Amino acid sequence: MAGLFKKVYDWLLRTFWATEMDVTMIGLQNAGKTSLLRVLSGGEFAIDSIPTVGFNMKRVQRGHVTLKCWDLGGQPRFRPMWERYCRGVNAIVFIVDIADLSLLPVARDELHLLMSQPTLYGIPLLVLGNKSDLPNRITVDELIDVLDLKDIANREVSCYGISAKEETNLEAVVQWLMKFAGR
């Protein structure tokens, strides 16, 4: 009987109290957006991930919250589309490869260009320094400085170091995102 009660309770939660939130994941090519999304949605990390062409979407279920995550391509030709997919979302996740120091200035410029768009005013921003498992990476404090995150205003901004491969700090990412589920 307890199993039946749990099934009914879970169904009631999903039906009447479930919350769906939209999250857009952006960042330069090869930052690890698709790998992160695959791991968050319960899949395995794959070393040979193919670059995202355009976008893809996955749902990540956590309790009564469903994160509908949009993963946008990071190649230069897709960056003009980022703003359109970030409008009206609950949170924007900007992923940076913290082991590829040569791309950090480009990441900073693209991030600030995007955050200056009036249509995105007030949308919370989570910056993730991915590939923390690699040598020659920068720290979270260095990433905050290099990306000038303190200059981004009119929204909540947080920054975490993660490793999609090692699944480091991913629960903290989900908890941060779920704070904005009712927004």
Side-chain angles (χ1 to χ4, degrees):
M1 191 64 162
L4 177 63
F5 177 76
K6 175 148 179 41
K7 285 181 183 174
V8 169
Y9 177 75
D10 289 344
W11 176 82
L12 284 169
L13 266 181
R14 281 193 315 274
T15 306
F16 297 106
W17 293 284
T19 302
E20 183 170 276
M21 62 181 292
D22 288 301
V23 175
T24 300
M25 296 185 165
I26 52 173
L28 303 185
Q29 65 277 15
N30 201 34
K33 300 173 295 295
T34 303
S35 296
L36 173 62
L37 191 51
R38 183 181 299 124
V39 170
L40 283 177
S41 62
E44 295 288 315
F45 177 83
I47 218 116
D48 57 350
S49 196
I50 321 167
T52 301
V53 176
F55 66 89
N56 81 67
M57 190 274 289
K58 282 194 186 287
R59 292 177 190 275
V60 177
Q61 185 72 41
R62 289 296 163 105
H64 68 284
V65 177
T66 301
L67 305 172
K68 189 165 75 174
C69 299
W70 297 92
D71 164 21
L72 302 182
Q75 296 85 352
R77 71 178 192 251
F78 297 120
R79 295 176 198 163
M81 297 189 317
W82 287 358
E83 183 268 340
R84 189 175 338 142
Y85 284 93
C86 289
R87 287 183 210 156
V89 298
N90 297 86
I92 297 169
V93 179
F94 189 78
I95 302 166
V96 181
D97 178 346
I98 56 174
D100 189 344
L101 306 182
S102 67
L103 286 178
L104 291 174
V106 178
R108 179 195 60 232
D109 293 347
E110 291 291 344
L111 176 62
H112 283 268
L113 177 65
L114 185 68
M115 292 298 103
S116 70
Q117 301 299 315
T119 52
L120 306 183
Y121 182 90
I123 299 174
L125 171 67
L126 177 59
V127 176
L128 299 177
N130 191 25
K131 305 185 184 182
S132 64
D133 55 300
L134 295 180
N136 303 320
R137 67 184 175 347
I138 62 171
T139 66
V140 170
D141 288 339
E142 290 169 324
L143 182 61
I144 289 168
D145 289 341
V146 168
L147 295 182
D148 295 325
L149 293 184
K150 291 180 170 93
D151 293 344
I152 297 176
N154 305 315
R155 72 190 73 243
E156 181 168 333
V157 179
S158 293
C159 185
Y160 296 132
I162 65 161
S163 168
K165 180 180 180 183
E166 303 289 327
E167 299 188 24
T168 306
N169 232 4
L170 299 191
E171 193 54 39
V173 169
V174 171
Q175 292 304 316
W176 188 93
L177 290 169
M178 288 176 60
K179 283 192 322 190
F180 302 101
R183 190 180 165 274

